[in-house]
Amino acid sequence: MTHRKASHIVAAGLLGGVTLFLIGLLLPDWLLFTATKAAGYGLVALGIVVLMRGGLVSFGQGMVYCIGAYTSGLVASRLGVSDVFLLLAIGGGASTLVGLLVGPLIARYRGIFFAMLTVALSMVLYGILVKQNAIGGSDGFNVPEPTFLGWAPGVGASDLALYGVAVVIAATAATFCRFYFDSMPGLVAKAVRENELRVEYLGSSVFRITVRNFVIAAGFGGIGGTLNGLALGHVDPLFSFWTTSGEFVFIAILSGHVSVSAVFVSALILELVRSFSNRYFPETWQLLLGAFLLVVILFLPNGLGSLWEELSKRLGRGKPPPVPDPGGLERRKEAAP
């Protein structure tokens, strides 16, 4: 990656983060809450996109999402730790640790076996949490309001402050993923999806690549779970239920694996469609959500992110390099005096 391209990625991340925060100053409270939740969902779905680029799909990402939310929630409610940045680090760290332990155990599986193993692990965690009455059982427990580097905002400013933190984290995660996707390890990970055997022949370990992607996805899942636990003020075992994991897969399919920013846009679309459908069509909002996904799959098989790529091509930045003319050098030699 050239220094110029790296500078463009960092500048795009900074510009996107600042723009979203300024937009947040104008949003009503309900939309701030929805956008914060979407950022948390987008972080988890971004982890699935990392796995998808390596040819794998996790249908059990709710496990790391739930571990992050529960760990940070318990630390906040039982130990009195309230700083949002410390809680995010604890939640993300706990899920990353689980990713390091679980990743090597399932990294040799592929296709439906990998997907079903992740679902099984997620549902095992759900079953355990439901039976643990000491931490709320099936009802879960409440998470206290966070503080921000020692500042405890009032009711009105709390949502905006948490939204600002969500924007910073989302922009940082998107920038990191863009660097990773365009780096040599990220491109090799993408090649795994096309031909694992050739990647092994070239000297790279598919097993290590899969473990690395799983750990990255777990870290994002834990941070997303912590963020949404703080936004909701409550965590429960449904964070690990298979339908929650299905929503993350929905966002990943909707966005595709081309653009990292499209993941967060897709998460916001999901939240908006669910909110409005649940309000005006409470009995059929899942039907509308499924129909919306079918339309995207039929007309945008590579997801909403492919629109970014198409726009880039039309602006001329995505033009393929000119094909060298093999006879050009000979003609110039002949034309020379």
Side-chain angles (χ1 to χ4, degrees):
M1 181 184 297
T2 63
H3 178 72
R4 184 179 180 184
K5 185 173 182 179
S7 301
H8 285 172
I9 293 173
V10 173
L14 286 173
L15 182 62
V18 171
T19 303
L20 288 174
F21 180 74
L22 293 177
I23 292 174
L25 296 174
L26 307 175
L27 297 179
D29 290 343
W30 70 269
L31 195 49
L32 273 180
F33 172 74
T34 302
T36 304
K37 272 190 69 184
Y41 268 50
L43 284 168
V44 188
L46 192 57
I48 295 180
V49 170
V50 172
L51 289 168
M52 284 172 64
R53 286 175 66 90
L56 296 172
V57 177
S58 169
F59 282 89
Q61 211 63 9
M63 177 183 68
V64 289
Y65 176 71
C66 184
I67 288 172
Y70 260 77
T71 305
S72 58
L74 287 172
V75 169
S77 61
R78 305 296 170 86
L79 302 181
V81 176
S82 61
D83 186 75
V84 66
F85 297 103
L86 189 55
L87 292 174
L88 287 167
I90 291 172
S95 294
T96 302
L97 180 61
V98 170
L100 285 169
L101 295 174
V102 174
L105 301 177
I106 63 173
R108 298 195 186 281
Y109 294 91
R110 290 291 179 272
I112 191 65
F113 301 103
F114 180 87
M116 295 313 295
L117 272 175
T118 55
V119 173
L121 291 170
S122 179
M123 292 307 296
V124 166
L125 177 63
Y126 170 79
I128 293 173
L129 293 176
V130 165
K131 301 295 183 183
Q132 299 301 316
N133 293 326
I135 53 175
S138 59
D139 294 328
F141 59 92
N142 291 330
V143 180
E145 288 279 341
T147 59
F148 301 81
L149 299 176
W151 175 53
V155 177
S158 179
D159 289 344
L160 179 60
L162 192 57
Y163 169 79
V165 172
V167 165
V168 171
I169 293 173
T172 305
T175 304
F176 167 79
C177 276
R178 191 70 271 163
F179 272 112
Y180 176 57
F181 290 165
D182 293 346
S183 66
M184 185 59 70
L187 293 173
V188 173
K190 187 178 180 182
V192 171
R193 186 183 58 188
E194 305 298 331
N195 195 319
E196 293 185 9
L197 194 58
R198 288 190 179 184
V199 171
E200 291 279 0
Y201 279 148
L202 289 173
S204 297
S205 169
V206 173
F207 175 78
R208 290 181 182 176
I209 293 170
T210 304
V211 172
R212 182 176 64 209
N213 287 345
F214 190 83
V215 171
I216 293 173
F220 284 158
I223 295 173
T226 301
L227 192 61
N228 278 3
L230 294 173
L232 293 167
H234 183 85
V235 295
D236 59 57
L238 285 177
F239 274 49
S240 186
F241 202 58
W242 67 271
T243 53
T244 306
S245 300
E247 292 178 359
F248 300 139
V249 176
F250 177 97
I251 296 170
I253 294 174
L254 185 62
S255 66
H257 62 272
V258 178
S259 169
V260 292
S261 55
V263 178
F264 295 97
V265 174
S266 300
L268 183 59
I269 290 174
L270 171 71
E271 283 300 312
L272 291 175
V273 170
R274 176 163 50 188
S275 298
F276 283 102
S277 300
N278 201 20
R279 178 172 182 179
Y280 296 108
F281 310 99
E283 303 297 331
T284 58
W285 70 271
Q286 294 97 337
L287 176 65
L288 294 174
L289 210 58
F292 182 67
L293 182 59
L294 281 176
V295 170
V296 172
I297 291 174
L298 288 175
F299 295 100
L300 288 171
N302 292 322
L304 295 176
S306 60
L307 291 176
W308 272 245
E309 190 177 42
E310 184 66 26
L311 180 62
S312 176
K313 286 180 179 178
R314 291 192 178 188
L315 292 176
R317 289 178 297 178
K319 284 184 178 178
V323 178
D325 180 7
L329 181 60
E330 297 298 328
R331 287 195 296 271
R332 285 195 293 274
K333 286 181 178 178
E334 292 174 358

